[in-house]
């Protein structure tokens, strides 16, 4: 949602995910293989949009994109998490 710079760090402010989120791997395991192409396209678009926003607008590289760092909220929307390895573009 926002990025702030201190003398020694950068701080990323993210939307509170709450208890309504699940990890993509668990979502896939518990719901059998996802065959809904519209849902797959929606998730892919949301993930790519998030990465584009980070790169183009905030100049941040995530550096740890993997299924465990992608959440699905109760509305079925993708949330990217775990920015511990992120870096800033010069």
């Amino acid at each position: 949602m926002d990025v702030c710079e201190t003398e020694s760090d950068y701080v990323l402010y993210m939307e509170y995910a709450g208890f309504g989120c699940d990890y993509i791997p668990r979502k896939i395991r518990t719901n059998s293989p996802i065959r809904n192409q519209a849902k797959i396209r929606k998730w892919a678009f949301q993930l790519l949009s998030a990465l584009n926003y980070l790169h183009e607008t905030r100049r941040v590289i995530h550096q740890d994109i993997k299924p465990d760092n992608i959440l699905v909220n109760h509305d079925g929307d993708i949330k990217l998490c775990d920015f511990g390895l992120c870096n800033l573009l010069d």
Side-chain angles (χ1 to χ4, degrees):
M1 296 184 90
D2 201 2
V3 178
C4 293
E5 182 178 356
T6 67
E7 279 186 28
S8 60
D9 258 331
Y10 289 91
V11 179
L12 293 172
Y13 291 93
M14 297 175 58
E15 172 185 0
Y16 176 67
F19 296 107
C21 286
D22 203 357
Y23 291 98
I24 284 277
R26 185 170 34 223
K27 194 101 171 144
I28 291 170
R29 276 194 304 271
T30 58
N31 292 341
S32 72
I34 297 173
R35 300 181 197 280
N36 184 336
Q37 289 186 10
K39 184 183 289 187
I40 293 169
R41 275 195 293 280
K42 174 186 169 183
W43 286 352
F45 178 80
Q46 288 178 345
L47 180 60
L48 293 172
S49 294
L51 292 172
N52 183 62
Y53 174 78
L54 285 171
H55 295 171
E56 298 297 324
T57 306
R58 295 299 183 172
R59 312 294 293 160
V60 171
I61 304 249
H62 189 281
Q63 296 191 153
D64 196 19
I65 302 298
K66 61 184 180 183
D68 289 340
N69 290 338
I70 302 170
L71 300 175
V72 180
N73 72 8
H74 62 280
D75 292 328
D77 293 323
I78 291 294
K79 302 294 177 183
L80 187 58
C81 65
D82 193 358
F83 287 80
L85 297 177
C86 74
N87 231 330
L88 293 176
L89 292 168
D90 291 335

